[in-house]
Amino acid sequence: MATVRLDQKGRALVRAVPDSYANALASYFGAGPTNVALARSQHTAYVSALESNGVEVTILPADNAHPDCIFVEDQAVVIDGHVLLPVPGAESRRGEQPPIADFLAQKLAGHQICKMEPPAMMDGGDILRLGDIIFVGRSTRTNDAGIGELKDLLDHLGHELRIVDIPPHALHLTSIASTPCDQIILAPEGYLSPESFGEMPEGCEVVMMPKEEVYGCNTIGLPGRKVLVADGYPTVAKTLEERGFETILLDMSEIRAADGSPTCCSIFF
Ligand code: GLY
């Protein structure tokens, strides 16, 4: 997920695909998953890609009462000795959080747990980190009260927070942008502009992609200049390869069908 720096991406939490996955929310990229078996095999390949590129992965059991439970990124934000447990913006998804919170509390003993309370709400999928700058999407899932609570935490940690307004035709910030490394933000035309992110620190850049490759803008950068990229977005892959990245392509069709992207399926901790 997007709140750890590249050098902190050694471990990831993921969650298995539930039998109920065909009922997952879908309003943006997809019309809803139709093939749970295929989703499971794509999810297994995703986990293998993480593992074979040096990430230790823990898989939590699926929760059939929560069709969206594979999208763990939304449920917790791990940042510099703190675990922020947001109030997820979709009410139907709030019950996904307890086992994730329990797991992180156990694995990250010593981290401070910060629990958001309504009316604040925020999805972890609205958080993106570039070095020590944290971007938060103001979206249908993340409101000003949620952003205020995040800001209090980041002020305490000494990190800068920048707000990015998410257009109505997108779900989250990470649905449309990612940081394949600590110096690059990938973002799509027609959704965001370089100005959306404010002035870039020296050596950093916003690299714009064509609008039709918006889904491909969600990538997972790993140490060693490796990047997991959804298959089918050639400009994204070529742009990264030209910058010296090794791209690892993933078939994400049944994940995309539920508006999920590569980062949505992991919490790095
Ligand atoms: N299907 C993912 C979400 O809407 O949160």
Side-chain angles (χ1 to χ4, degrees):
M1 72 114 48
T3 49
V4 296
R5 292 192 321 261
L6 206 54
D7 59 307
Q8 299 169 328
K9 282 188 178 165
R11 297 182 294 179
L13 176 66
V14 308
R15 197 161 191 185
V17 178
D19 293 342
S20 58
Y21 181 58
N23 298 320
L25 300 173
S27 305
Y28 298 90
F29 290 132
T34 52
N35 188 335
V36 177
L38 180 58
R40 286 200 169 111
S41 72
Q42 290 175 349
H43 193 261
T44 299
Y46 169 90
V47 170
S48 299
L50 288 172
E51 287 177 335
S52 56
N53 287 287
V55 181
E56 181 191 320
V57 180
T58 301
I59 307 176
L60 280 186
D63 173 0
N64 286 322
H66 291 98
D68 285 284
C69 69
I70 67 167
F71 302 124
V72 291
E73 176 183 54
D74 293 322
Q75 301 292 335
V77 177
V78 178
I79 180 160
D80 297 3
H82 294 69
V83 179
L84 175 61
L85 299 173
V87 176
E91 218 163 328
S92 65
R93 298 199 51 203
R94 292 182 186 167
E96 296 170 29
Q97 196 177 61
I100 294 169
D102 289 348
F103 173 85
L104 291 173
Q106 193 193 343
K107 279 285 177 190
L108 299 175
H111 277 48
Q112 192 172 329
I113 309 286
C114 311
K115 196 160 167 40
M116 198 176 268
E117 297 294 340
M121 62 179 201
M122 196 182 85
D123 276 8
D126 269 315
I127 310 293
L128 186 64
R129 180 171 185 168
L130 181 80
D132 283 335
I133 303 175
I134 310 296
F135 297 91
V136 61
R138 179 158 43 203
S139 71
T140 55
R141 299 282 178 89
T142 298
N143 63 12
D144 284 326
I147 292 171
E149 291 202 20
L150 177 66
K151 182 165 174 17
D152 289 344
L153 172 61
L154 295 177
D155 283 350
H156 167 71
L157 294 175
H159 289 313
E160 182 185 354
L161 178 66
R162 298 186 187 180
I163 299 172
V164 179
D165 281 308
I166 303 304
H169 51 301
L171 172 59
H172 282 146
L173 179 54
T174 64
S175 310
I176 54 176
S178 67
T179 48
C181 66
D182 291 332
Q183 290 77 35
I184 292 175
I185 298 176
L186 276 184
E189 305 280 0
Y191 289 79
L192 297 168
S193 68
E195 292 70 40
S196 307
F197 298 94
E199 195 180 328
M200 283 293 101
E202 176 141 10
C204 296
E205 59 176 332
V206 179
V207 179
M208 297 304 294
M209 292 291 107
K211 183 177 183 178
E212 58 276 14
E213 295 201 25
V214 51
Y215 184 81
C217 289
N218 179 292
T219 65
I220 299 180
L222 294 173
R225 251 177 139 67
K226 295 179 176 187
V227 192
L228 271 51
V229 184
D231 196 10
Y233 303 94
T235 313
V236 171
K238 184 163 175 276
T239 301
L240 291 170
E241 285 159 11
E242 282 171 355
R243 283 172 163 74
F245 291 94
E246 178 189 338
T247 55
I248 297 139
L249 300 180
L250 299 169
D251 185 354
M252 298 294 289
S253 62
E254 282 298 302
I255 310 296
R256 176 185 161 128
D259 292 340
S261 300
T263 65
C264 304
C265 299
S266 294
I267 298 173
F268 285 92
F269 62 94

